Each structure stands twice: as structure tokens, then as C-alpha cells.
Amino acid sequence: MPASLEQRLQRLEDDRAIRDLKARYLRACDAKDPDTVRDCLFPEGAVIAYDGFPAFNSRDAFVAVYAAMGCAPGVFDIHHGANGVIVFDDSDRATGQWSLLFHSINLASRTLTQMGVEYDDAYVKRDGRWWISETRSRRLSCLIHAVDDAGRPTVTVMGEPPATFG
């Protein structure tokens, strides 16, 4: 039986809410806003498993590491997410795939990092609100420049990402 107009409209609203949630998460990462990052992740056992980092089974543990690394003075990040594909399992569960161009300037280490990343996410809807319940990433490409005292960049990594990051 075809979906009703109300069901189709709800699906469109849910799709938009998930896209807005992912954008809010990425923008909060760039804004060094750990409270908003935390608020995007499901409170009941969110799984965060990013390539090159240890896996986390709680949003609080992840946010503590994010705050220490990503919110350090002299670190400037841009998470540019695109190509989102959302698939609904049912009215309260969905998955998403995203491409990410990550760029970071780290003044302390004098490095410029650019990575191509793919996200695989799971979303859950509770009490009318969507959450990121699981987010995993895999790095596809990496370019790291070291910047000398004269401001000249030299490529130190090109192609395969290093095993660990940070």
C-alpha cells in the first residue's frame, strides 16, 4: 500500500531534521562548542568510532577527548560535509552516509592537514527528536604539510593517512 500524504510529509521532515542534525554537529566541531557536540549524540550509549582514534561508547568520553584536542588554542578546523544519503529503517531509525573534507591548521605543531573522510552514521528518534546514535568514519586520503619558521609548507604525508592521528 502506498504511503499516505502525511507519512510522506513526515518522512521529508525527518530527512531534513537528520540533515540539520549532522550540520549542527559538524558546525559545533568547528566552533569549538563541546556542549552542542554532546547534545547531538544519543545520551544512551552513543558509539563514536573514528578512524585513527580509539572507539567510544559514551558521548561524554568522546566529548572529553574532543574538547582536549579540538578545542585547544591555535587549532582551527573546518568539517565540510556533503553528499548525504539518508535511508530510513522505520519511523524512528535511519542510517546516513556522508563525505567529509576536513581541513585543520595547528599552530602548535605548525601543520596543515587535509583529509577526505567517509562517515557511516545511525540515527534514532526519541520523543520527537533525532539523535546520532552511532557514527563511524574511515579516512580515504590525507595531505599533511609541515610549515617551517619562514612559513614555507613541506609535504610530510601524501596519500595514505597515518595509522593514528593527533
Side-chain angles (χ1 to χ4, degrees):
M1 170 188 252
S4 71
L5 183 58
E6 284 110 9
Q7 290 168 324
R8 291 171 47 210
L9 179 58
Q10 185 62 55
R11 181 62 45 100
L12 288 172
E13 289 177 349
D14 288 337
D15 184 272
R16 181 76 246 174
I18 290 170
R19 291 175 190 281
D20 288 349
L21 171 65
K22 187 66 173 187
R24 183 174 169 239
Y25 172 81
L26 295 173
R27 293 174 65 86
C29 289
D30 294 343
K32 301 180 185 315
D33 182 353
D35 291 335
T36 299
V37 167
R38 182 181 184 277
D39 190 56
C40 292
L41 301 168
F42 191 53
E44 299 168 25
V47 173
I48 302 98
Y50 293 152
D51 195 5
F53 291 92
F56 300 91
N57 289 314
S58 98
R59 67 184 189 171
D60 292 329
F62 169 74
V63 169
V65 171
Y66 157 74
M69 292 180 70
C71 298
V75 174
F76 305 94
D77 294 336
I78 298 172
H79 295 74
H80 183 85
N83 306 326
V85 176
I86 308 298
V87 176
F88 288 89
D89 300 329
D90 57 40
S91 62
D92 295 327
R93 294 195 175 279
T95 58
Q97 293 179 308
W98 301 89
S99 299
L100 179 80
L101 176 62
F102 173 77
H103 184 78
S104 181
I105 299 168
N106 187 317
L107 298 180
S109 65
R110 301 184 60 83
T111 56
L112 309 171
T113 301
Q114 183 176 323
M115 289 191 286
V117 177
E118 287 292 318
Y119 278 107
D120 292 303
D121 291 347
Y123 308 98
V124 63
K125 187 177 186 181
R126 292 288 188 276
D127 300 321
R129 179 194 165 168
W130 285 97
W131 301 86
I132 299 170
S133 61
E134 185 173 327
T135 180
R136 298 177 182 275
S137 75
R138 62 189 178 287
R139 295 173 292 167
L140 303 178
S141 65
C142 186
L143 179 62
I144 300 176
H145 289 91
V147 180
D148 66 19
D149 291 337
R152 290 183 300 258
T154 302
V155 173
T156 59
V157 175
M158 185 168 66
E160 287 287 321
T164 59
F165 185 73

PDB file of all heavy atoms in Angstrom, residues 22-61:
ATOM      1  N   LYS A  22      23.177  16.648  11.453  1.00  0.00           N
ATOM      2  CA  LYS A  22      24.564  16.416  11.036  1.00  0.00           C
ATOM      3  C   LYS A  22      25.281  17.758  10.819  1.00  0.00           C
ATOM      4  O   LYS A  22      26.434  17.924  11.247  1.00  0.00           O
ATOM      5  CB  LYS A  22      24.616  15.568   9.762  1.00  0.00           C
ATOM      6  CG  LYS A  22      26.012  15.157   9.365  1.00  0.00           C
ATOM      7  CD  LYS A  22      26.629  14.216  10.378  1.00  0.00           C
ATOM      8  CE  LYS A  22      27.965  13.668   9.869  1.00  0.00           C
ATOM      9  NZ  LYS A  22      28.500  12.633  10.748  1.00  0.00           N
ATOM     10  N   ALA A  23      24.609  18.708  10.210  1.00  0.00           N
ATOM     11  CA  ALA A  23      25.211  20.033  10.005  1.00  0.00           C
ATOM     12  C   ALA A  23      25.489  20.713  11.343  1.00  0.00           C
ATOM     13  O   ALA A  23      26.553  21.323  11.532  1.00  0.00           O
ATOM     14  CB  ALA A  23      24.290  20.897   9.148  1.00  0.00           C
ATOM     15  N   ARG A  24      24.567  20.594  12.268  1.00  0.00           N
ATOM     16  CA  ARG A  24      24.755  21.178  13.610  1.00  0.00           C
ATOM     17  C   ARG A  24      25.966  20.565  14.301  1.00  0.00           C
ATOM     18  O   ARG A  24      26.770  21.267  14.926  1.00  0.00           O
ATOM     19  CB  ARG A  24      23.486  20.943  14.422  1.00  0.00           C
ATOM     20  CG  ARG A  24      23.491  21.548  15.794  1.00  0.00           C
ATOM     21  CD  ARG A  24      22.093  21.370  16.431  1.00  0.00           C
ATOM     22  NE  ARG A  24      22.163  21.720  17.822  1.00  0.00           N
ATOM     23  CZ  ARG A  24      21.871  20.897  18.813  1.00  0.00           C
ATOM     24  NH1 ARG A  24      21.448  19.677  18.579  1.00  0.00           N
ATOM     25  NH2 ARG A  24      21.958  21.306  20.057  1.00  0.00           N
ATOM     26  N   TYR A  25      26.117  19.250  14.174  1.00  0.00           N
ATOM     27  CA  TYR A  25      27.257  18.547  14.763  1.00  0.00           C
ATOM     28  C   TYR A  25      28.573  19.051  14.151  1.00  0.00           C
ATOM     29  O   TYR A  25      29.513  19.403  14.872  1.00  0.00           O
ATOM     30  CB  TYR A  25      27.094  17.041  14.547  1.00  0.00           C
ATOM     31  CG  TYR A  25      28.306  16.245  14.940  1.00  0.00           C
ATOM     32  CD1 TYR A  25      28.544  15.922  16.266  1.00  0.00           C
ATOM     33  CD2 TYR A  25      29.229  15.825  13.981  1.00  0.00           C
ATOM     34  CE1 TYR A  25      29.670  15.190  16.638  1.00  0.00           C
ATOM     35  CE2 TYR A  25      30.347  15.105  14.345  1.00  0.00           C
ATOM     36  CZ  TYR A  25      30.567  14.795  15.666  1.00  0.00           C
ATOM     37  OH  TYR A  25      31.685  14.091  16.029  1.00  0.00           O
ATOM     38  N   LEU A  26      28.661  19.081  12.833  1.00  0.00           N
ATOM     39  CA  LEU A  26      29.899  19.499  12.167  1.00  0.00           C
ATOM     40  C   LEU A  26      30.223  20.962  12.466  1.00  0.00           C
ATOM     41  O   LEU A  26      31.380  21.311  12.705  1.00  0.00           O
ATOM     42  CB  LEU A  26      29.791  19.258  10.661  1.00  0.00           C
ATOM     43  CG  LEU A  26      29.681  17.789  10.234  1.00  0.00           C
ATOM     44  CD1 LEU A  26      29.417  17.697   8.741  1.00  0.00           C
ATOM     45  CD2 LEU A  26      30.907  16.994  10.634  1.00  0.00           C
ATOM     46  N   ARG A  27      29.216  21.808  12.463  1.00  0.00           N
ATOM     47  CA  ARG A  27      29.437  23.229  12.772  1.00  0.00           C
ATOM     48  C   ARG A  27      29.883  23.413  14.223  1.00  0.00           C
ATOM     49  O   ARG A  27      30.737  24.243  14.519  1.00  0.00           O
ATOM     50  CB  ARG A  27      28.192  24.043  12.456  1.00  0.00           C
ATOM     51  CG  ARG A  27      27.877  24.105  10.964  1.00  0.00           C
ATOM     52  CD  ARG A  27      26.557  24.804  10.681  1.00  0.00           C
ATOM     53  NE  ARG A  27      26.610  26.200  11.061  1.00  0.00           N
ATOM     54  CZ  ARG A  27      27.061  27.186  10.278  1.00  0.00           C
ATOM     55  NH1 ARG A  27      27.504  26.903   9.074  1.00  0.00           N
ATOM     56  NH2 ARG A  27      27.061  28.427  10.692  1.00  0.00           N
ATOM     57  N   ALA A  28      29.332  22.614  15.130  1.00  0.00           N
ATOM     58  CA  ALA A  28      29.752  22.693  16.537  1.00  0.00           C
ATOM     59  C   ALA A  28      31.201  22.256  16.692  1.00  0.00           C
ATOM     60  O   ALA A  28      31.949  22.843  17.488  1.00  0.00           O
ATOM     61  CB  ALA A  28      28.835  21.839  17.412  1.00  0.00           C
ATOM     62  N   CYS A  29      31.615  21.233  15.934  1.00  0.00           N
ATOM     63  CA  CYS A  29      33.027  20.828  15.968  1.00  0.00           C
ATOM     64  C   CYS A  29      33.921  21.990  15.557  1.00  0.00           C
ATOM     65  O   CYS A  29      34.934  22.266  16.210  1.00  0.00           O
ATOM     66  CB  CYS A  29      33.262  19.634  15.040  1.00  0.00           C
ATOM     67  SG  CYS A  29      32.561  18.075  15.626  1.00  0.00           S
ATOM     68  N   ASP A  30      33.554  22.687  14.497  1.00  0.00           N
ATOM     69  CA  ASP A  30      34.359  23.821  14.016  1.00  0.00           C
ATOM     70  C   ASP A  30      34.322  25.004  14.974  1.00  0.00           C
ATOM     71  O   ASP A  30      35.313  25.726  15.099  1.00  0.00           O
ATOM     72  CB  ASP A  30      33.864  24.282  12.641  1.00  0.00           C
ATOM     73  CG  ASP A  30      34.094  23.236  11.568  1.00  0.00           C
ATOM     74  OD1 ASP A  30      34.899  22.310  11.776  1.00  0.00           O
ATOM     75  OD2 ASP A  30      33.451  23.344  10.510  1.00  0.00           O
ATOM     76  N   ALA A  31      33.206  25.184  15.650  1.00  0.00           N
ATOM     77  CA  ALA A  31      33.038  26.324  16.560  1.00  0.00           C
ATOM     78  C   ALA A  31      33.635  26.070  17.943  1.00  0.00           C
ATOM     79  O   ALA A  31      33.553  26.932  18.814  1.00  0.00           O
ATOM     80  CB  ALA A  31      31.555  26.668  16.694  1.00  0.00           C
ATOM     81  N   LYS A  32      34.213  24.881  18.130  1.00  0.00           N
ATOM     82  CA  LYS A  32      34.780  24.506  19.435  1.00  0.00           C
ATOM     83  C   LYS A  32      33.713  24.589  20.527  1.00  0.00           C
ATOM     84  O   LYS A  32      33.897  25.194  21.567  1.00  0.00           O
ATOM     85  CB  LYS A  32      35.989  25.367  19.774  1.00  0.00           C
ATOM     86  CG  LYS A  32      37.114  25.279  18.758  1.00  0.00           C
ATOM     87  CD  LYS A  32      38.271  26.143  19.162  1.00  0.00           C
ATOM     88  CE  LYS A  32      39.376  26.219  18.156  1.00  0.00           C
ATOM     89  NZ  LYS A  32      39.810  25.010  17.532  1.00  0.00           N
ATOM     90  N   ASP A  33      32.595  23.956  20.248  1.00  0.00           N
ATOM     91  CA  ASP A  33      31.425  24.001  21.116  1.00  0.00           C
ATOM     92  C   ASP A  33      31.103  22.590  21.621  1.00  0.00           C
ATOM     93  O   ASP A  33      30.224  21.910  21.077  1.00  0.00           O
ATOM     94  CB  ASP A  33      30.252  24.593  20.324  1.00  0.00           C
ATOM     95  CG  ASP A  33      28.987  24.729  21.124  1.00  0.00           C
ATOM     96  OD1 ASP A  33      28.916  24.255  22.283  1.00  0.00           O
ATOM     97  OD2 ASP A  33      28.033  25.310  20.575  1.00  0.00           O
ATOM     98  N   PRO A  34      31.826  22.117  22.652  1.00  0.00           N
ATOM     99  CA  PRO A  34      31.610  20.744  23.113  1.00  0.00           C
ATOM    100  C   PRO A  34      30.206  20.469  23.630  1.00  0.00           C
ATOM    101  O   PRO A  34      29.719  19.341  23.518  1.00  0.00           O
ATOM    102  CB  PRO A  34      32.659  20.543  24.211  1.00  0.00           C
ATOM    103  CG  PRO A  34      33.269  21.860  24.473  1.00  0.00           C
ATOM    104  CD  PRO A  34      32.893  22.798  23.372  1.00  0.00           C
ATOM    105  N   ASP A  35      29.533  21.475  24.178  1.00  0.00           N
ATOM    106  CA  ASP A  35      28.169  21.242  24.677  1.00  0.00           C
ATOM    107  C   ASP A  35      27.217  20.885  23.537  1.00  0.00           C
ATOM    108  O   ASP A  35      26.391  19.978  23.677  1.00  0.00           O
ATOM    109  CB  ASP A  35      27.658  22.467  25.434  1.00  0.00           C
ATOM    110  CG  ASP A  35      28.395  22.696  26.745  1.00  0.00           C
ATOM    111  OD1 ASP A  35      28.934  21.720  27.312  1.00  0.00           O
ATOM    112  OD2 ASP A  35      28.437  23.857  27.189  1.00  0.00           O
ATOM    113  N   THR A  36      27.345  21.577  22.409  1.00  0.00           N
ATOM    114  CA  THR A  36      26.484  21.269  21.269  1.00  0.00           C
ATOM    115  C   THR A  36      26.883  19.946  20.635  1.00  0.00           C
ATOM    116  O   THR A  36      26.012  19.165  20.227  1.00  0.00           O
ATOM    117  CB  THR A  36      26.503  22.414  20.247  1.00  0.00           C
ATOM    118  OG1 THR A  36      26.011  23.599  20.880  1.00  0.00           O
ATOM    119  CG2 THR A  36      25.634  22.109  19.033  1.00  0.00           C
ATOM    120  N   VAL A  37      28.186  19.663  20.546  1.00  0.00           N
ATOM    121  CA  VAL A  37      28.629  18.355  20.042  1.00  0.00           C
ATOM    122  C   VAL A  37      27.976  17.257  20.885  1.00  0.00           C
ATOM    123  O   VAL A  37      27.384  16.312  20.351  1.00  0.00           O
ATOM    124  CB  VAL A  37      30.172  18.237  20.080  1.00  0.00           C
ATOM    125  CG1 VAL A  37      30.617  16.794  19.857  1.00  0.00           C
ATOM    126  CG2 VAL A  37      30.808  19.158  19.044  1.00  0.00           C
ATOM    127  N   ARG A  38      28.065  17.384  22.186  1.00  0.00           N
ATOM    128  CA  ARG A  38      27.484  16.403  23.103  1.00  0.00           C
ATOM    129  C   ARG A  38      25.980  16.270  22.889  1.00  0.00           C
ATOM    130  O   ARG A  38      25.431  15.165  22.884  1.00  0.00           O
ATOM    131  CB  ARG A  38      27.774  16.816  24.552  1.00  0.00           C
ATOM    132  CG  ARG A  38      27.261  15.865  25.601  1.00  0.00           C
ATOM    133  CD  ARG A  38      27.574  16.394  27.021  1.00  0.00           C
ATOM    134  NE  ARG A  38      27.168  15.455  28.024  1.00  0.00           N
ATOM    135  CZ  ARG A  38      25.926  15.353  28.484  1.00  0.00           C
ATOM    136  NH1 ARG A  38      24.971  16.131  28.026  1.00  0.00           N
ATOM    137  NH2 ARG A  38      25.636  14.452  29.405  1.00  0.00           N
ATOM    138  N   ASP A  39      25.301  17.401  22.686  1.00  0.00           N
ATOM    139  CA  ASP A  39      23.851  17.417  22.542  1.00  0.00           C
ATOM    140  C   ASP A  39      23.369  16.787  21.234  1.00  0.00           C
ATOM    141  O   ASP A  39      22.195  16.477  21.098  1.00  0.00           O
ATOM    142  CB  ASP A  39      23.327  18.844  22.658  1.00  0.00           C
ATOM    143  CG  ASP A  39      21.818  18.884  22.758  1.00  0.00           C
ATOM    144  OD1 ASP A  39      21.265  18.229  23.665  1.00  0.00           O
ATOM    145  OD2 ASP A  39      21.195  19.556  21.902  1.00  0.00           O
ATOM    146  N   CYS A  40      24.259  16.565  20.286  1.00  0.00           N
ATOM    147  CA  CYS A  40      23.884  15.901  19.032  1.00  0.00           C
ATOM    148  C   CYS A  40      23.944  14.378  19.151  1.00  0.00           C
ATOM    149  O   CYS A  40      23.336  13.667  18.356  1.00  0.00           O
ATOM    150  CB  CYS A  40      24.814  16.346  17.905  1.00  0.00           C
ATOM    151  SG  CYS A  40      24.619  18.080  17.446  1.00  0.00           S
ATOM    152  N   LEU A  41      24.688  13.891  20.135  1.00  0.00           N
ATOM    153  CA  LEU A  41      24.919  12.456  20.293  1.00  0.00           C
ATOM    154  C   LEU A  41      23.927  11.843  21.276  1.00  0.00           C
ATOM    155  O   LEU A  41      23.643  12.420  22.321  1.00  0.00           O
ATOM    156  CB  LEU A  41      26.354  12.221  20.771  1.00  0.00           C
ATOM    157  CG  LEU A  41      27.440  12.752  19.835  1.00  0.00           C
ATOM    158  CD1 LEU A  41      28.800  12.730  20.523  1.00  0.00           C
ATOM    159  CD2 LEU A  41      27.471  11.961  18.536  1.00  0.00           C
ATOM    160  N   PHE A  42      23.435  10.668  20.939  1.00  0.00           N
ATOM    161  CA  PHE A  42      22.422   9.979  21.737  1.00  0.00           C
ATOM    162  C   PHE A  42      22.928   9.754  23.155  1.00  0.00           C
ATOM    163  O   PHE A  42      24.025   9.234  23.355  1.00  0.00           O
ATOM    164  CB  PHE A  42      22.083   8.649  21.069  1.00  0.00           C
ATOM    165  CG  PHE A  42      20.881   7.945  21.628  1.00  0.00           C
ATOM    166  CD1 PHE A  42      19.665   8.602  21.743  1.00  0.00           C
ATOM    167  CD2 PHE A  42      20.956   6.620  22.017  1.00  0.00           C
ATOM    168  CE1 PHE A  42      18.545   7.954  22.238  1.00  0.00           C
ATOM    169  CE2 PHE A  42      19.842   5.960  22.514  1.00  0.00           C
ATOM    170  CZ  PHE A  42      18.639   6.635  22.624  1.00  0.00           C
ATOM    171  N   PRO A  43      22.152  10.164  24.172  1.00  0.00           N
ATOM    172  CA  PRO A  43      22.634  10.052  25.552  1.00  0.00           C
ATOM    173  C   PRO A  43      22.779   8.622  26.060  1.00  0.00           C
ATOM    174  O   PRO A  43      23.518   8.379  27.007  1.00  0.00           O
ATOM    175  CB  PRO A  43      21.585  10.812  26.367  1.00  0.00           C
ATOM    176  CG  PRO A  43      20.514  11.236  25.454  1.00  0.00           C
ATOM    177  CD  PRO A  43      20.881  10.835  24.065  1.00  0.00           C
ATOM    178  N   GLU A  44      22.100   7.676  25.457  1.00  0.00           N
ATOM    179  CA  GLU A  44      22.080   6.299  25.965  1.00  0.00           C
ATOM    180  C   GLU A  44      23.025   5.396  25.175  1.00  0.00           C
ATOM    181  O   GLU A  44      22.598   4.505  24.466  1.00  0.00           O
ATOM    182  CB  GLU A  44      20.661   5.767  25.920  1.00  0.00           C
ATOM    183  CG  GLU A  44      19.703   6.581  26.774  1.00  0.00           C
ATOM    184  CD  GLU A  44      18.247   6.237  26.521  1.00  0.00           C
ATOM    185  OE1 GLU A  44      17.959   5.105  26.083  1.00  0.00           O
ATOM    186  OE2 GLU A  44      17.403   7.110  26.761  1.00  0.00           O
ATOM    187  N   GLY A  45      24.322   5.648  25.297  1.00  0.00           N
ATOM    188  CA  GLY A  45      25.308   4.754  24.690  1.00  0.00           C
ATOM    189  C   GLY A  45      25.630   5.021  23.241  1.00  0.00           C
ATOM    190  O   GLY A  45      25.722   4.079  22.446  1.00  0.00           O
ATOM    191  N   ALA A  46      25.817   6.265  22.870  1.00  0.00           N
ATOM    192  CA  ALA A  46      26.256   6.579  21.508  1.00  0.00           C
ATOM    193  C   ALA A  46      27.597   5.911  21.236  1.00  0.00           C
ATOM    194  O   ALA A  46      28.459   5.830  22.106  1.00  0.00           O
ATOM    195  CB  ALA A  46      26.375   8.092  21.324  1.00  0.00           C
ATOM    196  N   VAL A  47      27.772   5.419  20.025  1.00  0.00           N
ATOM    197  CA  VAL A  47      29.028   4.812  19.591  1.00  0.00           C
ATOM    198  C   VAL A  47      29.710   5.791  18.644  1.00  0.00           C
ATOM    199  O   VAL A  47      29.111   6.227  17.662  1.00  0.00           O
ATOM    200  CB  VAL A  47      28.784   3.470  18.881  1.00  0.00           C
ATOM    201  CG1 VAL A  47      30.078   2.922  18.284  1.00  0.00           C
ATOM    202  CG2 VAL A  47      28.150   2.476  19.831  1.00  0.00           C
ATOM    203  N   ILE A  48      30.956   6.137  18.966  1.00  0.00           N
ATOM    204  CA  ILE A  48      31.749   7.031  18.137  1.00  0.00           C
ATOM    205  C   ILE A  48      33.036   6.296  17.820  1.00  0.00           C
ATOM    206  O   ILE A  48      33.836   6.014  18.721  1.00  0.00           O
ATOM    207  CB  ILE A  48      32.042   8.381  18.844  1.00  0.00           C
ATOM    208  CG1 ILE A  48      30.733   9.090  19.232  1.00  0.00           C
ATOM    209  CG2 ILE A  48      32.886   9.275  17.953  1.00  0.00           C
ATOM    210  CD1 ILE A  48      30.325   8.881  20.651  1.00  0.00           C
ATOM    211  N   ALA A  49      33.247   5.955  16.553  1.00  0.00           N
ATOM    212  CA  ALA A  49      34.417   5.172  16.137  1.00  0.00           C
ATOM    213  C   ALA A  49      35.020   5.821  14.895  1.00  0.00           C
ATOM    214  O   ALA A  49      34.645   5.492  13.766  1.00  0.00           O
ATOM    215  CB  ALA A  49      34.016   3.727  15.869  1.00  0.00           C
ATOM    216  N   TYR A  50      35.936   6.750  15.120  1.00  0.00           N
ATOM    217  CA  TYR A  50      36.575   7.474  14.033  1.00  0.00           C
ATOM    218  C   TYR A  50      37.947   6.884  13.748  1.00  0.00           C
ATOM    219  O   TYR A  50      38.744   6.667  14.670  1.00  0.00           O
ATOM    220  CB  TYR A  50      36.691   8.962  14.372  1.00  0.00           C
ATOM    221  CG  TYR A  50      35.355   9.667  14.456  1.00  0.00           C
ATOM    222  CD1 TYR A  50      35.195  10.771  15.266  1.00  0.00           C
ATOM    223  CD2 TYR A  50      34.255   9.234  13.727  1.00  0.00           C
ATOM    224  CE1 TYR A  50      33.982  11.438  15.341  1.00  0.00           C
ATOM    225  CE2 TYR A  50      33.038   9.886  13.801  1.00  0.00           C
ATOM    226  CZ  TYR A  50      32.905  10.990  14.606  1.00  0.00           C
ATOM    227  OH  TYR A  50      31.702  11.637  14.680  1.00  0.00           O
ATOM    228  N   ASP A  51      38.206   6.624  12.499  1.00  0.00           N
ATOM    229  CA  ASP A  51      39.461   6.048  12.042  1.00  0.00           C
ATOM    230  C   ASP A  51      40.642   6.844  12.595  1.00  0.00           C
ATOM    231  O   ASP A  51      40.702   8.059  12.477  1.00  0.00           O
ATOM    232  CB  ASP A  51      39.467   6.087  10.508  1.00  0.00           C
ATOM    233  CG  ASP A  51      40.521   5.216   9.870  1.00  0.00           C
ATOM    234  OD1 ASP A  51      41.216   4.485  10.593  1.00  0.00           O
ATOM    235  OD2 ASP A  51      40.632   5.278   8.634  1.00  0.00           O
ATOM    236  N   GLY A  52      41.566   6.158  13.268  1.00  0.00           N
ATOM    237  CA  GLY A  52      42.745   6.793  13.828  1.00  0.00           C
ATOM    238  C   GLY A  52      42.603   7.185  15.287  1.00  0.00           C
ATOM    239  O   GLY A  52      43.556   7.667  15.892  1.00  0.00           O
ATOM    240  N   PHE A  53      41.414   6.999  15.849  1.00  0.00           N
ATOM    241  CA  PHE A  53      41.155   7.327  17.250  1.00  0.00           C
ATOM    242  C   PHE A  53      40.594   6.091  17.940  1.00  0.00           C
ATOM    243  O   PHE A  53      40.036   5.219  17.286  1.00  0.00           O
ATOM    244  CB  PHE A  53      40.121   8.461  17.364  1.00  0.00           C
ATOM    245  CG  PHE A  53      40.616   9.781  16.885  1.00  0.00           C
ATOM    246  CD1 PHE A  53      40.415  10.182  15.574  1.00  0.00           C
ATOM    247  CD2 PHE A  53      41.294  10.641  17.739  1.00  0.00           C
ATOM    248  CE1 PHE A  53      40.879  11.404  15.124  1.00  0.00           C
ATOM    249  CE2 PHE A  53      41.762  11.865  17.298  1.00  0.00           C
ATOM    250  CZ  PHE A  53      41.556  12.244  15.987  1.00  0.00           C
ATOM    251  N   PRO A  54      40.685   6.028  19.261  1.00  0.00           N
ATOM    252  CA  PRO A  54      40.031   4.918  19.954  1.00  0.00           C
ATOM    253  C   PRO A  54      38.509   5.042  19.815  1.00  0.00           C
ATOM    254  O   PRO A  54      37.993   6.142  19.631  1.00  0.00           O
ATOM    255  CB  PRO A  54      40.472   5.092  21.413  1.00  0.00           C
ATOM    256  CG  PRO A  54      40.870   6.525  21.537  1.00  0.00           C
ATOM    257  CD  PRO A  54      41.359   6.955  20.177  1.00  0.00           C
ATOM    258  N   ALA A  55      37.801   3.916  19.896  1.00  0.00           N
ATOM    259  CA  ALA A  55      36.336   3.940  19.840  1.00  0.00           C
ATOM    260  C   ALA A  55      35.780   4.337  21.204  1.00  0.00           C
ATOM    261  O   ALA A  55      36.377   4.044  22.245  1.00  0.00           O
ATOM    262  CB  ALA A  55      35.803   2.577  19.420  1.00  0.00           C
ATOM    263  N   PHE A  56      34.642   4.998  21.187  1.00  0.00           N
ATOM    264  CA  PHE A  56      33.969   5.440  22.405  1.00  0.00           C
ATOM    265  C   PHE A  56      32.564   4.869  22.426  1.00  0.00           C
ATOM    266  O   PHE A  56      31.898   4.798  21.392  1.00  0.00           O
ATOM    267  CB  PHE A  56      33.880   6.974  22.452  1.00  0.00           C
ATOM    268  CG  PHE A  56      35.216   7.656  22.437  1.00  0.00           C
ATOM    269  CD1 PHE A  56      35.799   8.038  21.238  1.00  0.00           C
ATOM    270  CD2 PHE A  56      35.896   7.903  23.617  1.00  0.00           C
ATOM    271  CE1 PHE A  56      37.038   8.668  21.218  1.00  0.00           C
ATOM    272  CE2 PHE A  56      37.131   8.529  23.607  1.00  0.00           C
ATOM    273  CZ  PHE A  56      37.705   8.906  22.398  1.00  0.00           C
ATOM    274  N   ASN A  57      32.097   4.499  23.621  1.00  0.00           N
ATOM    275  CA  ASN A  57      30.734   4.001  23.804  1.00  0.00           C
ATOM    276  C   ASN A  57      29.913   4.939  24.666  1.00  0.00           C
ATOM    277  O   ASN A  57      28.888   4.545  25.203  1.00  0.00           O
ATOM    278  CB  ASN A  57      30.750   2.597  24.418  1.00  0.00           C
ATOM    279  CG  ASN A  57      31.254   1.582  23.433  1.00  0.00           C
ATOM    280  OD1 ASN A  57      30.851   1.575  22.275  1.00  0.00           O
ATOM    281  ND2 ASN A  57      32.157   0.735  23.873  1.00  0.00           N
ATOM    282  N   SER A  58      30.383   6.168  24.802  1.00  0.00           N
ATOM    283  CA  SER A  58      29.613   7.171  25.524  1.00  0.00           C
ATOM    284  C   SER A  58      29.954   8.537  24.957  1.00  0.00           C
ATOM    285  O   SER A  58      31.109   8.800  24.607  1.00  0.00           O
ATOM    286  CB  SER A  58      29.888   7.121  27.029  1.00  0.00           C
ATOM    287  OG  SER A  58      30.818   8.086  27.439  1.00  0.00           O
ATOM    288  N   ARG A  59      28.958   9.356  24.870  1.00  0.00           N
ATOM    289  CA  ARG A  59      29.189  10.687  24.323  1.00  0.00           C
ATOM    290  C   ARG A  59      30.086  11.510  25.236  1.00  0.00           C
ATOM    291  O   ARG A  59      30.881  12.318  24.758  1.00  0.00           O
ATOM    292  CB  ARG A  59      27.863  11.392  24.039  1.00  0.00           C
ATOM    293  CG  ARG A  59      27.044  11.734  25.259  1.00  0.00           C
ATOM    294  CD  ARG A  59      25.716  12.340  24.876  1.00  0.00           C
ATOM    295  NE  ARG A  59      25.037  12.859  26.056  1.00  0.00           N
ATOM    296  CZ  ARG A  59      23.950  13.592  25.989  1.00  0.00           C
ATOM    297  NH1 ARG A  59      23.405  13.879  24.826  1.00  0.00           N
ATOM    298  NH2 ARG A  59      23.392  14.030  27.094  1.00  0.00           N
ATOM    299  N   ASP A  60      29.993  11.320  26.550  1.00  0.00           N
ATOM    300  CA  ASP A  60      30.813  12.099  27.479  1.00  0.00           C
ATOM    301  C   ASP A  60      32.297  11.794  27.315  1.00  0.00           C
ATOM    302  O   ASP A  60      33.132  12.703  27.340  1.00  0.00           O
ATOM    303  CB  ASP A  60      30.369  11.868  28.918  1.00  0.00           C
ATOM    304  CG  ASP A  60      28.987  12.447  29.191  1.00  0.00           C
ATOM    305  OD1 ASP A  60      28.626  13.462  28.556  1.00  0.00           O
ATOM    306  OD2 ASP A  60      28.264  11.872  30.020  1.00  0.00           O
ATOM    307  N   ALA A  61      32.642  10.515  27.143  1.00  0.00           N
ATOM    308  CA  ALA A  61      34.047  10.151  26.955  1.00  0.00           C
ATOM    309  C   ALA A  61      34.585  10.751  25.661  1.00  0.00           C
ATOM    310  O   ALA A  61      35.701  11.277  25.620  1.00  0.00           O
ATOM    311  CB  ALA A  61      34.191   8.632  26.955  1.00  0.00           C
TER     312      ALA A  61
END
